Amino acid sequence: MKFPDLNLALLSALLLIFLGSPAADAADVLYQICGTTGNYTANSTYDLNLQTLLTNLTTSATNSSSNFGFAKSTVGSVPNQIFGLVLCRGDVNSSNCSSCLSQATQDIQNLCPYYKEATIYYDFCLLRFSNQNFLSSTDNTNQVYMWNTQNVTGSKTLYSNYVRYLMNTTADYAAFNRSKKFATGQLNLSQAFPETYGLVQCTPDMSTSDCASCLNSLIDEMLKRFSGRQGARILGVRCNIRYEIYSFYSSVSLLSLTPPVENAPAPAPAMTPPVMNPGPQGMERTIYFTCASITS
């Protein structure tokens, strides 16, 4: 489900808090979505199951050695069965992850009181629960769009091409090379444009192909909506992406990239000794490689 453009316009008014200022508090709620699948009452079976679920999710996510920062769980039986998922951003430490999830379990019940379904987003984590089994699907539900209202100076088309290269390369690295399905990238541009930083993440239980498809869909959508912007992000339960003209994540970029060379001259033909009876002329293929340095 995507928000209507009216809600997106309201989100853009919060630009200076969420995108324009690197100093935004990571504990601030970015957005919450209260569901439409019904309500429960205090101290009911559903309420008790929800408290158990939230505790289980936080404990599992912060104590897991294989999938640290991620957990999904189911508690109870129909009609009081409840499904939940939490995900911390891939570069946050144990303390920040635990703190964010603890805050989320409190805020989501205050902001969406007695809703059987709710989603909440922060810079460092997200939490979703529902009485519908969304865990069986990789559909990237409850997407939120946020962007910087300022454009870069220069060609919007050229800069958007650079952003696409950054995000596509970072997305491929996350989907195909990282068990956490998380990656960051830095694109070192010329003086015409500022250095640009990107972050992508999927839930680690997604397959390589599902993660790549989810991220590529968001990249296409982001560049269609926010071409030439100084920053933008799309939040989703299953995958999310973001780019900015400043570093907004906690660690050194996993990828350090330079733009692909455009309009490069063809290489000089190789010198070969003459032959008396040349054979049929063959096809010549030139392959260009763009190298990226990877920081472990």
Side-chain angles (χ1 to χ4, degrees):
M1 180 181 72
K2 297 181 181 179
F3 287 156
D5 287 341
L6 175 60
N7 283 349
L8 300 184
L10 292 175
L11 281 174
S12 69
L14 302 177
L15 159 73
L16 294 179
I17 298 176
F18 297 135
L19 289 179
S21 172
D25 191 342
D28 290 339
V29 177
L30 295 181
Y31 209 85
Q32 77 277 350
I33 304 167
C34 303
T36 59
T37 61
N39 300 89
Y40 64 91
T41 57
N43 301 316
S44 63
T45 301
Y46 194 90
D47 188 8
L48 297 176
N49 287 345
L50 176 59
Q51 305 312 313
T52 300
L53 176 80
L54 295 176
T55 299
N56 290 349
L57 289 173
T58 300
T59 301
S60 297
T62 53
N63 290 334
S64 173
S65 57
S66 58
N67 279 327
F68 171 78
F70 171 72
K72 56 184 181 179
S73 183
T74 305
V75 173
S77 57
V78 178
N80 295 300
Q81 191 170 29
I82 183 168
F83 306 85
L85 179 152
V86 294
L87 179 68
C88 286
R89 205 174 73 189
D91 62 327
V92 302
N93 59 33
S94 176
S95 175
N96 286 334
C97 177
S98 178
S99 176
C100 186
L101 293 179
S102 295
Q103 187 70 42
T105 61
Q106 298 175 36
D107 289 343
I108 201 167
Q109 295 178 86
N110 293 330
L111 295 170
C112 298
Y114 305 115
Y115 281 81
K116 286 189 173 182
E117 178 181 64
T119 304
I120 194 165
Y121 293 105
Y122 301 80
D123 260 341
F124 283 175
C125 71
L126 68 89
L127 183 156
R128 172 168 166 75
F129 67 81
S130 177
N131 59 339
Q132 306 296 312
N133 185 10
F134 68 95
L135 299 178
S136 61
S137 170
T138 57
D139 182 40
N140 199 39
T141 57
N142 293 328
Q143 292 180 7
V144 176
Y145 299 77
M146 308 178 79
W147 64 96
N148 193 311
T149 59
Q150 300 298 311
N151 288 325
V152 294
T153 301
S155 169
K156 291 172 58 177
T157 300
L158 179 57
Y159 182 69
S160 292
N161 288 340
Y162 286 149
V163 171
R164 181 179 293 278
Y165 168 70
L166 167 66
M167 300 306 290
N168 282 346
T169 306
T170 307
D172 286 346
Y173 185 64
F176 290 92
N177 297 289
R178 303 287 297 180
S179 60
K180 292 178 68 174
K181 300 293 191 296
F182 169 85
T184 55
Q186 174 182 345
L187 184 59
N188 305 301
L189 295 169
S190 65
Q191 294 181 355
F193 298 108
E195 288 188 359
T196 303
Y197 301 80
L199 179 151
V200 302
Q201 184 170 19
C202 298
T203 57
D205 61 330
M206 294 179 72
S207 68
T208 293
S209 59
D210 284 342
C211 177
S213 177
C214 189
L215 293 174
N216 289 334
S217 176
L218 291 193
I219 293 168
D220 288 342
E221 184 72 13
M222 183 173 69
L223 291 174
K224 180 175 69 175
R225 289 178 176 269
F226 311 125
S227 175
R229 300 293 189 181
Q230 291 184 6
R233 71 195 300 180
I234 302 179
L235 303 169
V237 172
R238 283 297 188 174
C239 71
N240 65 87
I241 62 174
R242 182 181 182 183
Y243 80 90
E244 302 288 352
I245 59 171
Y246 58 84
S247 179
F248 57 90
Y249 36 82
S250 303
S251 58
V252 176
S253 302
L254 293 172
L255 298 175
S256 181
L257 307 170
T258 55
V261 178
E262 297 183 1
N263 301 319
M271 298 298 294
T272 56
V275 293
M276 296 299 296
N277 297 303
Q281 185 174 1
M283 297 295 292
E284 182 176 344
R285 178 182 299 170
T286 303
I287 302 175
Y288 294 92
F289 292 93
T290 301
C291 298
S293 63
I294 301 174
T295 305
S296 59

